[in-house]
Amino acid sequence: MMLIALAGHLMAQVQTQSVRGTIVDADTRQPLIGATVLIMGSDPLIGATTDLDGRFMLEKVPAGRIALQVRMLGYEEQTLANLLVNSAKELVLDVRLQESLVKLEEVEVSGKKGHGEVRNDMAVMSARKISVEETSRIAGGINDPARMVTVFPGVSGDPTGNNTIIVRGNSPKGVLWRLEGMEIPNPNHFADDGTTGGPINVLNSDVVDNSDFYTGAFAAEYGNVTSAVFDMKLRDGNDRKREYTLKAGVLGTDLTAEGPVPGVQGGSYLANYRYSTLSLLDQAGIVDYQGVPKYTDAAFKLKLPTAKAGTFSLFGIGGRSNIDQKEESELGDTLFATAQYGSRMGVAGITHTLLMGSNNFLYTTASLSGNGSGVDYFESPAPGESPLVLRHETDFARTTMRASTTLNTRINASHKLRTGVIFSLDRFRMFANTFDRADSVMKVNLDQQGEASTVQAFTSWKWRWNEQWSLTSGVHFLHYALNGASSVEPRAALRYQRTPARAFTLGAGLHSKTESLMNHLVRTTDAEGRTVQRNRGLGLSRAAHAVLGYEQLITEDVQFKTEAYYQYLYSQPVEDAASSAFWLGNTQEWYTDKPLVSKGIGYNAGVELSVEKFFTRGWHALATLSIFESRYRAADGTWYNARFGLGAVANALAGKEWKVGKADKNKVLTTGARYSVQGGQWQTPLDAEASIAAGYELESTAFMSFKGDPIHKLDLVLAYRVGRAKVSHEFKADVQNVLNAQTVVYSYYNSSTKRIEGVSQLAILPVMGYTLRF
């Protein structure tokens, strides 16, 4: 009887896990000794105090959702809500507290870090934290941060399936990706040079830490960008014990391993490898169809603290992808074309954080990155004829060395300075040989090797003159050696915290971006038959941003936010022809061989609203609405609708967690839904008769006069998580476009069928997956 009772008692025990971390000063990165950490609502109370290294440990924390309250005398209190404690994996936190303006003897310190607030306190507005945990439970996110951000106001995705994003009417080309504080190439599979998106992200969600996303009026440290910034971080591995995560699903099969580095106090490693599941099934003969996407990627981070020389980290990500495709008749008896495409990218680097006295720290990064792609496209010389002949071949390769260093200085609780320099050197090889259908001859548009360097410098100052008012100001400098262009960009932002629940923001600044190397190096033939590069000296594309914002905490877990913005675009690349309406800002990939000049102008203007119910009491919800207009003026002096001026974007989503079974069982069912609608893109109608007569695609003269139909999409997510002692299982289904809407996104002329055909939004796509943590 005693054995039966003991067994029953053990089975009824609540599963627990450790929660630990480090608490440091946000401005100096000095460890904070004596800070208190409490689990809110715990009974009996669970808490701890930080040691000499700023570390804390909470043991035997029940698995599930918790909220932590962090306090330190002389610092603003911080609440970390909605933390998920997994029975199979320790929760390790890095907490940064802001020094309070209130005198030390006034123990009660107000001011809490807001939901979704970014870590970079120099960013006052148009900024949002990308939470890894949040990404995993939002319908349609499929654990991809680039897809998750499309729920934010002013952001929309690519309806055809890529994770390319459109921000406030700007071309996706204007998005900047950063990793560990350094610009990186497009981190997506099947991506071309000059693009910023792709169907599958190389960055695996299991190695990414909470990161930041910015949509305008950027802080002074962000340069060479006009649209949006992804500022990503890799998380540190567990420095106390080894842990593993195994995933298998539609998007890939991968393994993540982490643990302590022997002999290094506080040292840790983190490594991940993923391989295309469809490729594995294809090699096993389980699936058999043409066009199987094949890709593989990996990531790592090695953290190496030292006693006196600071903390070093080695990091890297990389991926390769390729696909072979065929275009055949409906019966499969006629081969029209074949294409072999491949791409690759990789980054390896080192970071160094050095504490300098009690009020300074220096952050330095050096990296080596590479990316490239290649295409071989063969086509039938005429419908039904063989053999196929080469019509398009490309080979792009680029290697970039980058180095940056940033000095952070806290003068006192009211004043903070940040100053840095960034240097990059590109070495490139670019070749493109394309069939000119008008002249019926192959032409080499790109064929060059060389190098190009970029120098950037910035300084920013934050002044908190009381608990209500704060001012951030600075300047960014950019110089591009390829064309000799330079830009000096002043920026400023003001925040007025009227009450703890209400705030007003105002920001403005100048920004600029280099165009892709392909557009600079493309070559054409002049009237005398000479090969020339007419766009090599093309200048920087520039923009002036202004944003006015308001936010209101309606209740403790419901927030309303709105921003109105105006972006004036100038020095924009347009075709150098008095009768032309061409603007490079209407493109999102590849290059043009048209002669360009930096004489175009344009604007994006809009209003964004959001109401968010934070994840509390087991559920969350978000509704967003963006209304905007985007127009430009080309060399012909006429104003046109910009391609990405969608007009309106709206989202409504909600999710809930349900505890299944008895209270002591760690079983959770997660459900979520998202409905989104976005306006269609502006297009120039195709001239069917002229295209048929010419044998290739020709546009009408009604430039940018047709607006596509609105895109509607419903996504659903369902997940079931089962926790056991030291092991957890999760089964997940994330279904995109549940209603299988098939709205046409854009049209093209098919020379094989001699018809104008449409490309529809991505059909229903169930993304199934299983995760094992141990």
Side-chain angles (χ1 to χ4, degrees), residues 570-593:
Y570 61 104
S571 296
Q572 295 294 306
V574 295
E575 184 177 7
D576 189 13
S579 60
S580 175
F582 179 83
W583 174 44
L584 198 60
N586 284 328
T587 66
Q588 65 178 8
E589 57 189 359
W590 287 98
Y591 61 91
T592 179
D593 60 0

mmCIF file of all heavy atoms in Angstrom, residues 570-593:
data_model
loop_
_atom_site.group_PDB
_atom_site.id
_atom_site.type_symbol
_atom_site.label_atom_id
_atom_site.label_comp_id
_atom_site.label_asym_id
_atom_site.label_seq_id
_atom_site.Cartn_x
_atom_site.Cartn_y
_atom_site.Cartn_z
ATOM 1 N N TYR A 570 13.840 61.396 -52.389
ATOM 2 C CA TYR A 570 14.495 62.269 -53.357
ATOM 3 C C TYR A 570 15.806 61.622 -53.809
ATOM 4 O O TYR A 570 16.242 60.621 -53.254
ATOM 5 C CB TYR A 570 14.737 63.657 -52.775
ATOM 6 C CG TYR A 570 15.635 63.719 -51.558
ATOM 7 C CD1 TYR A 570 16.947 64.164 -51.649
ATOM 8 C CD2 TYR A 570 15.156 63.346 -50.297
ATOM 9 C CE1 TYR A 570 17.759 64.241 -50.533
ATOM 10 C CE2 TYR A 570 15.964 63.418 -49.171
ATOM 11 C CZ TYR A 570 17.268 63.861 -49.301
ATOM 12 O OH TYR A 570 18.073 63.931 -48.196
ATOM 13 N N SER A 571 16.380 62.191 -54.872
ATOM 14 C CA SER A 571 17.546 61.582 -55.518
ATOM 15 C C SER A 571 17.257 60.135 -55.877
ATOM 16 O O SER A 571 18.104 59.244 -55.713
ATOM 17 C CB SER A 571 18.789 61.678 -54.614
ATOM 18 O OG SER A 571 19.149 63.018 -54.399
ATOM 19 N N GLN A 572 16.059 59.879 -56.363
ATOM 20 C CA GLN A 572 15.638 58.527 -56.696
ATOM 21 C C GLN A 572 16.077 58.161 -58.120
ATOM 22 O O GLN A 572 16.034 58.989 -59.026
ATOM 23 C CB GLN A 572 14.119 58.408 -56.571
ATOM 24 C CG GLN A 572 13.606 58.584 -55.151
ATOM 25 C CD GLN A 572 14.065 57.467 -54.241
ATOM 26 O OE1 GLN A 572 13.855 56.287 -54.522
ATOM 27 N NE2 GLN A 572 14.702 57.839 -53.137
ATOM 28 N N PRO A 573 16.488 56.899 -58.335
ATOM 29 C CA PRO A 573 16.967 56.479 -59.661
ATOM 30 C C PRO A 573 15.815 56.277 -60.650
ATOM 31 O O PRO A 573 14.969 55.394 -60.461
ATOM 32 C CB PRO A 573 17.687 55.160 -59.371
ATOM 33 C CG PRO A 573 17.063 54.660 -58.115
ATOM 34 C CD PRO A 573 16.652 55.853 -57.316
ATOM 35 N N VAL A 574 15.786 57.096 -61.687
ATOM 36 C CA VAL A 574 14.782 56.995 -62.748
ATOM 37 C C VAL A 574 15.511 56.916 -64.087
ATOM 38 O O VAL A 574 16.692 57.277 -64.203
ATOM 39 C CB VAL A 574 13.816 58.197 -62.734
ATOM 40 C CG1 VAL A 574 12.994 58.217 -61.455
ATOM 41 C CG2 VAL A 574 14.589 59.509 -62.879
ATOM 42 N N GLU A 575 14.801 56.462 -65.108
ATOM 43 C CA GLU A 575 15.432 56.349 -66.417
ATOM 44 C C GLU A 575 15.751 57.726 -66.979
ATOM 45 O O GLU A 575 14.938 58.655 -66.896
ATOM 46 C CB GLU A 575 14.529 55.590 -67.386
ATOM 47 C CG GLU A 575 15.184 55.369 -68.747
ATOM 48 C CD GLU A 575 14.346 54.568 -69.702
ATOM 49 O OE1 GLU A 575 13.173 54.282 -69.368
ATOM 50 O OE2 GLU A 575 14.851 54.212 -70.782
ATOM 51 N N ASP A 576 16.929 57.835 -67.564
ATOM 52 C CA ASP A 576 17.386 59.113 -68.123
ATOM 53 C C ASP A 576 16.807 59.289 -69.530
ATOM 54 O O ASP A 576 17.506 59.216 -70.537
ATOM 55 C CB ASP A 576 18.920 59.132 -68.172
ATOM 56 C CG ASP A 576 19.462 60.504 -68.542
ATOM 57 O OD1 ASP A 576 18.687 61.485 -68.522
ATOM 58 O OD2 ASP A 576 20.661 60.592 -68.856
ATOM 59 N N ALA A 577 15.495 59.527 -69.574
ATOM 60 C CA ALA A 577 14.794 59.753 -70.838
ATOM 61 C C ALA A 577 13.579 60.624 -70.549
ATOM 62 O O ALA A 577 12.790 60.319 -69.644
ATOM 63 C CB ALA A 577 14.358 58.435 -71.460
ATOM 64 N N ALA A 578 13.424 61.693 -71.282
ATOM 65 C CA ALA A 578 12.383 62.688 -71.013
ATOM 66 C C ALA A 578 10.976 62.119 -71.099
ATOM 67 O O ALA A 578 10.045 62.667 -70.501
ATOM 68 C CB ALA A 578 12.528 63.867 -71.970
ATOM 69 N N SER A 579 10.796 61.017 -71.817
ATOM 70 C CA SER A 579 9.462 60.443 -71.989
ATOM 71 C C SER A 579 9.235 59.208 -71.119
ATOM 72 O O SER A 579 8.197 58.557 -71.224
ATOM 73 C CB SER A 579 9.249 60.056 -73.459
ATOM 74 O OG SER A 579 10.218 59.086 -73.864
ATOM 75 N N SER A 580 10.182 58.886 -70.241
ATOM 76 C CA SER A 580 10.106 57.635 -69.481
ATOM 77 C C SER A 580 9.441 57.814 -68.122
ATOM 78 O O SER A 580 9.630 58.824 -67.442
ATOM 79 C CB SER A 580 11.512 57.066 -69.279
ATOM 80 O OG SER A 580 11.469 55.925 -68.443
ATOM 81 N N ALA A 581 8.679 56.781 -67.724
ATOM 82 C CA ALA A 581 8.053 56.736 -66.403
ATOM 83 C C ALA A 581 8.725 55.697 -65.502
ATOM 84 O O ALA A 581 8.214 55.398 -64.425
ATOM 85 C CB ALA A 581 6.572 56.411 -66.538
ATOM 86 N N PHE A 582 9.880 55.177 -65.912
ATOM 87 C CA PHE A 582 10.537 54.110 -65.150
ATOM 88 C C PHE A 582 11.191 54.648 -63.884
ATOM 89 O O PHE A 582 11.901 55.653 -63.905
ATOM 90 C CB PHE A 582 11.597 53.426 -66.013
ATOM 91 C CG PHE A 582 12.334 52.335 -65.281
ATOM 92 C CD1 PHE A 582 11.794 51.064 -65.197
ATOM 93 C CD2 PHE A 582 13.552 52.586 -64.662
ATOM 94 C CE1 PHE A 582 12.476 50.052 -64.515
ATOM 95 C CE2 PHE A 582 14.229 51.579 -63.977
ATOM 96 C CZ PHE A 582 13.680 50.306 -63.903
ATOM 97 N N TRP A 583 10.957 53.915 -62.781
ATOM 98 C CA TRP A 583 11.574 54.211 -61.479
ATOM 99 C C TRP A 583 12.053 52.900 -60.874
ATOM 100 O O TRP A 583 11.309 51.920 -60.814
ATOM 101 C CB TRP A 583 10.559 54.884 -60.565
ATOM 102 C CG TRP A 583 11.025 55.110 -59.157
ATOM 103 C CD1 TRP A 583 12.235 55.582 -58.746
ATOM 104 C CD2 TRP A 583 10.260 54.887 -57.964
ATOM 105 N NE1 TRP A 583 12.287 55.671 -57.376
ATOM 106 C CE2 TRP A 583 11.088 55.251 -56.862
ATOM 107 C CE3 TRP A 583 8.979 54.427 -57.706
ATOM 108 C CZ2 TRP A 583 10.653 55.154 -55.551
ATOM 109 C CZ3 TRP A 583 8.542 54.334 -56.394
ATOM 110 C CH2 TRP A 583 9.382 54.704 -55.324
ATOM 111 N N LEU A 584 13.307 52.874 -60.438
ATOM 112 C CA LEU A 584 13.881 51.653 -59.890
ATOM 113 C C LEU A 584 13.174 51.212 -58.616
ATOM 114 O O LEU A 584 13.200 50.038 -58.256
ATOM 115 C CB LEU A 584 15.381 51.853 -59.633
ATOM 116 C CG LEU A 584 16.232 50.585 -59.474
ATOM 117 C CD1 LEU A 584 16.162 49.724 -60.728
ATOM 118 C CD2 LEU A 584 17.674 50.947 -59.155
ATOM 119 N N GLY A 585 12.524 52.130 -57.927
ATOM 120 C CA GLY A 585 11.804 51.797 -56.702
ATOM 121 C C GLY A 585 10.594 50.918 -56.914
ATOM 122 O O GLY A 585 10.005 50.431 -55.942
ATOM 123 N N ASN A 586 10.193 50.689 -58.169
ATOM 124 C CA ASN A 586 9.097 49.766 -58.463
ATOM 125 C C ASN A 586 9.578 48.328 -58.620
ATOM 126 O O ASN A 586 8.772 47.443 -58.887
ATOM 127 C CB ASN A 586 8.371 50.192 -59.741
ATOM 128 C CG ASN A 586 7.459 51.380 -59.511
ATOM 129 O OD1 ASN A 586 6.896 51.542 -58.431
ATOM 130 N ND2 ASN A 586 7.327 52.235 -60.513
ATOM 131 N N THR A 587 10.886 48.103 -58.497
ATOM 132 C CA THR A 587 11.443 46.757 -58.628
ATOM 133 C C THR A 587 11.829 46.226 -57.249
ATOM 134 O O THR A 587 12.017 46.986 -56.298
ATOM 135 C CB THR A 587 12.686 46.759 -59.535
ATOM 136 O OG1 THR A 587 13.739 47.497 -58.897
ATOM 137 C CG2 THR A 587 12.372 47.401 -60.878
ATOM 138 N N GLN A 588 11.961 44.903 -57.160
ATOM 139 C CA GLN A 588 12.383 44.306 -55.892
ATOM 140 C C GLN A 588 13.501 43.284 -56.062
ATOM 141 O O GLN A 588 13.944 42.680 -55.082
ATOM 142 C CB GLN A 588 11.196 43.646 -55.198
ATOM 143 C CG GLN A 588 10.601 42.466 -55.940
ATOM 144 C CD GLN A 588 9.459 41.822 -55.167
ATOM 145 O OE1 GLN A 588 9.001 42.341 -54.143
ATOM 146 N NE2 GLN A 588 8.983 40.689 -55.639
ATOM 147 N N GLU A 589 13.971 43.085 -57.287
ATOM 148 C CA GLU A 589 15.036 42.122 -57.515
ATOM 149 C C GLU A 589 15.717 42.410 -58.850
ATOM 150 O O GLU A 589 15.281 43.239 -59.629
ATOM 151 C CB GLU A 589 14.468 40.698 -57.525
ATOM 152 C CG GLU A 589 13.387 40.481 -58.556
ATOM 153 C CD GLU A 589 12.699 39.137 -58.413
ATOM 154 O OE1 GLU A 589 13.095 38.370 -57.514
ATOM 155 O OE2 GLU A 589 11.772 38.860 -59.177
ATOM 156 N N TRP A 590 16.816 41.719 -59.075
ATOM 157 C CA TRP A 590 17.566 41.795 -60.309
ATOM 158 C C TRP A 590 18.027 43.217 -60.609
ATOM 159 O O TRP A 590 18.316 43.986 -59.709
ATOM 160 C CB TRP A 590 16.791 41.186 -61.483
ATOM 161 C CG TRP A 590 16.742 39.704 -61.393
ATOM 162 C CD1 TRP A 590 15.708 38.972 -60.889
ATOM 163 C CD2 TRP A 590 17.764 38.774 -61.732
ATOM 164 N NE1 TRP A 590 16.017 37.643 -60.923
ATOM 165 C CE2 TRP A 590 17.267 37.480 -61.436
ATOM 166 C CE3 TRP A 590 19.044 38.886 -62.265
ATOM 167 C CZ2 TRP A 590 18.006 36.330 -61.653
ATOM 168 C CZ3 TRP A 590 19.777 37.733 -62.497
ATOM 169 C CH2 TRP A 590 19.255 36.483 -62.180
ATOM 170 N N TYR A 591 18.101 43.574 -61.900
ATOM 171 C CA TYR A 591 18.678 44.844 -62.300
ATOM 172 C C TYR A 591 18.004 45.320 -63.582
ATOM 173 O O TYR A 591 17.213 44.608 -64.206
ATOM 174 C CB TYR A 591 20.189 44.689 -62.539
ATOM 175 C CG TYR A 591 20.523 43.700 -63.640
ATOM 176 C CD1 TYR A 591 20.658 44.109 -64.962
ATOM 177 C CD2 TYR A 591 20.695 42.335 -63.355
ATOM 178 C CE1 TYR A 591 20.948 43.199 -65.974
ATOM 179 C CE2 TYR A 591 20.986 41.432 -64.355
ATOM 180 C CZ TYR A 591 21.108 41.856 -65.653
ATOM 181 O OH TYR A 591 21.385 40.963 -66.655
ATOM 182 N N THR A 592 18.316 46.533 -63.983
ATOM 183 C CA THR A 592 17.840 47.064 -65.255
ATOM 184 C C THR A 592 19.039 47.553 -66.056
ATOM 185 O O THR A 592 20.024 48.021 -65.477
ATOM 186 C CB THR A 592 16.834 48.213 -65.035
ATOM 187 O OG1 THR A 592 16.420 48.717 -66.313
ATOM 188 C CG2 THR A 592 17.468 49.360 -64.251
ATOM 189 N N ASP A 593 18.939 47.445 -67.380
ATOM 190 C CA ASP A 593 20.002 47.990 -68.224
ATOM 191 C C ASP A 593 19.649 49.371 -68.764
ATOM 192 O O ASP A 593 20.330 49.910 -69.632
ATOM 193 C CB ASP A 593 20.320 47.041 -69.381
ATOM 194 C CG ASP A 593 19.106 46.804 -70.278
ATOM 195 O OD1 ASP A 593 18.030 47.366 -70.010
ATOM 196 O OD2 ASP A 593 19.245 46.035 -71.259
#
